[in-house]
Amino acid sequence: MRHGMGGKERKRAKREQEVICLKVEISRVLEKLTSAQNLGLTKMTPPFEGIENFDYGLRRALDAAFDWKAFGDMLLHQIPARTLVFARGVFELRFALFLSPDEKDTLYCIGPWAEGPRSKESITWCKTYLDEKAQDVIQEYHNRVRQIDDNAIKSTLFGVISLIYPEGELKTEEWREFMPLNFRPGLESFSDTSFTEELPAELVAERYAAENRMLQAVVKGDSSSALGAYESFRRFQVTPRLHSLLRDFKNFSIILNSLLRKSIEQASVHPYYIDQISARFAIEIEALTSLEEGERLRVRMVKEYCLYVQKYSLRQYSPLIQKVINQVNLHMDSDLSLKSLAAQCYISPSYLSSVFKQETGQTLTDYISSRRMERAAKLLLTTNARIAVVAEEVGILDVNYFTKMFKSATGQTPTHYRRDKRAQLSLEVAPDGAPPLLQEKEKREKLKKSEITPCKAARSML
């Protein structure tokens, strides 16, 4: 006769299930953590297939006959249980290793990372024993490795991994030159084509692949994927070209700005908007005063270029509808009647009306009205222009008709909308007719007069 579990058994089963869930969550957190930090996460288990890339192929390039199975067996037997090992391998690379508590014969290796630029000792050794070509390869390899504060990443990894074990059980050890023990490649290895040609080619290909993933995500307006790809891309440090690190950073930021600009062009964003954002970032790049500020700017660049695609991309429409939409958005204060827009496209009004409704799901008249009200709302919030001036800016000369349209769209008159929205944002409510704030046209003129343009900024690199 089958009986249900007793109270103790149920409690024990529940605790076991909680432990299993915790371990699953910790593994996911570890994957997300290493991904966010641009660190490799290699799972090593017999027969240790695929572990040769744990150090981005460095050891494989230096020793084609390297015994990876023996290497994996050595690590499994020498890493103590319940211990997080922080190891410093050849070429000043850092790794973290620990045995999985719930997976038999399974080791996790995190890294590599570098504490900072190469040490003087490393550079001197290379100059003494290696030719110029091999030195360049080693520098390119170090450019690939993530530079991160050693103590910070160690504390973070220990905090996450310790959650797998009962409190106080996880210990740490520090190892030096362990990958593997007594690994000392002969100097002739640095002249082999697998090191001087194949490894650099792999590193460059990987850098370009990361760059392309980022740009493809930007084309789609996928901010999350673009930022993730950017984190992988920025792991690759580019060899400095000048004595000023900040000037180098600015120059490569200009290149990034150009790449992002070309990406949103592929998304059929109008050149007016592309010039608007690229010129603004060119100015901000030149104004940078620190590398930390620059890193924050680069992240914002990726985000905002994605937002521009989300807002202005017309790639889902035919060239005809793209032209009409751009005409509406860029010349809102002009005659936007169905007849005039059709005449500009050399087609009949009825045909334009039909195609526009088919592709956008709304009538051309409704689209124009909605875009005008959106622009008017922005002007009311960001300027102190009179209501009549705002109406004229969006192509409506009859202020009473404008007020009626605006109330129909927002539920408020323009005056009440301005007062309420500014109050919500704690903005000063100026009386209607007060001197306007900087208008969009004035901003564009000011931008044109600026001495720093994308072209001039790019020429400063040459």
Side-chain angles (χ1 to χ4, degrees):
M1 184 174 181
R2 185 175 180 180
H3 298 281
M5 288 191 298
K8 291 184 179 179
E9 288 81 1
R10 283 197 297 269
K11 288 182 180 179
R12 183 170 62 251
K14 183 178 180 181
R15 284 197 301 270
E16 291 175 352
Q17 185 64 36
E18 288 175 348
V19 170
I20 293 172
C21 291
L22 178 61
K23 288 178 179 178
V24 170
E25 290 302 318
I26 290 299
S27 65
R28 291 176 180 172
V29 168
L30 196 60
E31 289 176 3
K32 290 183 178 293
L33 173 64
T34 53
S35 176
Q37 295 291 342
N38 281 308
L39 297 175
L41 177 62
T42 304
K43 184 177 181 180
M44 299 183 174
T45 187
F48 304 107
E49 295 178 354
I51 69 171
E52 62 271 12
N53 289 319
F54 84 100
D55 61 354
Y56 308 141
L58 175 63
R59 202 157 274 92
R60 183 187 68 232
L62 287 172
D63 186 358
F66 187 74
D67 190 338
W68 291 101
K69 185 179 184 304
F71 171 60
D73 286 333
M74 181 273 294
L75 290 178
L76 276 181
H77 288 92
Q78 292 199 2
I79 300 292
R82 297 183 177 83
T83 303
L84 178 60
V85 174
F86 292 111
R88 175 177 173 175
V90 294
F91 299 112
E92 303 174 330
L93 304 181
R94 270 78 169 172
F95 297 85
L97 304 101
F98 70 97
L99 293 172
S100 173
D102 58 342
E103 298 173 275
K104 183 180 179 181
D105 294 335
T106 300
L107 172 80
Y108 284 96
C109 177
I110 301 167
W113 71 85
E115 191 170 7
R118 295 168 60 201
S119 68
K120 292 182 179 179
E121 292 78 5
S122 172
I123 295 174
T124 300
W125 184 90
C126 289
K127 287 183 177 179
T128 303
Y129 295 103
L130 305 180
D131 61 26
E132 189 172 338
K133 189 172 184 179
Q135 293 178 44
D136 290 342
V137 173
I138 290 178
Q139 182 59 59
E140 182 68 26
Y141 179 83
H142 272 270
N143 291 342
R144 166 69 174 86
V145 176
R146 177 82 160 93
Q147 293 184 13
I148 193 169
D149 182 85
D150 200 45
N151 291 326
I153 190 60
K154 286 179 178 178
S155 298
T156 301
L157 291 174
F158 181 81
V160 172
I161 297 170
S162 63
L163 295 175
I164 304 175
Y165 302 91
E167 186 174 355
E169 273 200 16
L170 184 65
K171 300 175 292 184
T172 62
E173 285 188 13
E174 297 279 346
W175 288 8
R176 293 177 64 87
E177 300 296 348
F178 83 107
M179 300 293 261
L181 293 169
N182 304 317
F183 177 70
R184 295 292 184 275
L187 294 180
E188 66 278 1
S189 300
F190 293 92
S191 300
D192 193 87
T193 56
S194 63
F195 179 79
T196 60
E197 297 179 10
E198 294 175 14
L199 179 62
E202 291 177 9
L203 295 173
V204 171
E206 190 175 353
R207 174 159 59 88
Y208 273 82
E211 176 186 296
N212 287 332
R213 286 195 301 272
M214 175 188 69
L215 298 178
Q216 288 167 7
V218 172
V219 171
K220 298 176 183 177
D222 186 346
S223 180
S224 177
S225 296
L227 287 172
Y230 169 72
E231 287 300 320
S232 297
F233 172 66
R234 79 184 183 96
R235 179 194 302 168
F236 295 89
Q237 307 293 322
V238 182
T239 304
R241 299 178 182 177
L242 303 173
H243 294 298
S244 169
L245 291 178
L246 182 59
R247 183 65 257 174
D248 260 331
F249 188 93
K250 289 181 179 182
N251 289 346
F252 291 121
S253 297
I254 292 169
I255 295 174
L256 175 62
N257 192 28
S258 298
L259 292 172
L260 294 172
R261 184 184 69 210
K262 297 300 292 183
S263 291
I264 68 170
E265 184 179 355
Q266 295 178 37
S268 297
V269 174
H270 193 278
Y272 168 77
Y273 301 115
I274 297 175
D275 183 69
Q276 190 180 62
I277 187 173
S278 64
R280 172 163 56 85
F281 278 130
I283 294 171
E284 292 191 48
I285 289 169
E286 287 300 324
L288 290 174
T289 58
S290 69
L291 299 181
E292 293 77 13
E293 180 189 1
E295 284 293 350
R296 290 193 295 271
L297 175 61
R298 284 183 176 180
V299 171
R300 185 157 56 83
M301 286 167 62
V302 174
K303 286 183 178 179
E304 291 196 24
Y305 270 101
C306 287
L307 289 175
Y308 261 57
V309 171
Q310 296 171 21
K311 187 173 183 180
Y312 298 118
S313 175
L314 302 176
R315 61 182 172 177
Q316 68 269 39
Y317 302 124
S318 65
L320 169 63
I321 300 306
Q322 288 183 21
K323 180 178 180 180
V324 172
I325 290 177
N326 282 324
Q327 179 67 20
V328 171
N329 291 333
L330 298 177
H331 303 283
M332 203 163 289
D333 58 349
S334 62
D335 179 15
L336 296 177
S337 65
L338 176 60
K339 183 178 179 180
S340 66
L341 289 171
Q344 292 178 44
C345 298
Y346 305 101
I347 57 176
S348 69
S350 60
Y351 179 73
L352 174 58
S353 177
S354 174
V355 174
F356 194 92
K357 177 68 179 296
Q358 181 180 355
E359 292 195 24
T360 68
Q362 60 181 322
T363 67
L364 179 56
T365 301
D366 287 345
Y367 177 79
I368 294 171
S369 296
S370 65
R371 292 296 295 121
R372 279 175 163 164
M373 294 306 101
E374 288 174 14
R375 178 75 61 83
K378 181 178 180 181
L379 291 172
L380 288 168
L381 186 60
T382 59
T383 78
N384 294 326
R386 293 183 296 110
I387 304 302
V389 173
V390 172
E392 187 177 347
E393 282 285 322
V394 297
I396 302 175
L397 302 182
D398 186 336
V399 67
N400 292 324
Y401 179 62
F402 167 75
T403 300
K404 182 180 179 180
M405 285 185 63
F406 192 87
K407 186 174 182 181
S408 176
T410 66
Q412 292 181 294
T413 65
T415 301
H416 288 162
Y417 179 88
R418 170 181 274 168
R419 182 194 63 196
D420 292 350
K421 291 298 182 181
R422 287 193 173 188
Q424 292 174 14
L425 298 173
S426 300
L427 297 176
E428 178 185 356
V429 181
D432 191 28
L437 303 177
L438 195 63
Q439 303 287 319
E440 287 298 319
K441 289 182 180 179
E442 293 175 309
K443 290 181 181 179
R444 291 197 294 269
E445 290 301 318
K446 185 176 180 181
L447 194 59
K448 289 178 181 178
K449 294 177 181 178
S450 171
E451 292 184 358
I452 303 174
T453 66
C455 292
K456 289 182 180 179
R459 284 199 296 269
S460 69
M461 298 173 55
L462 303 178

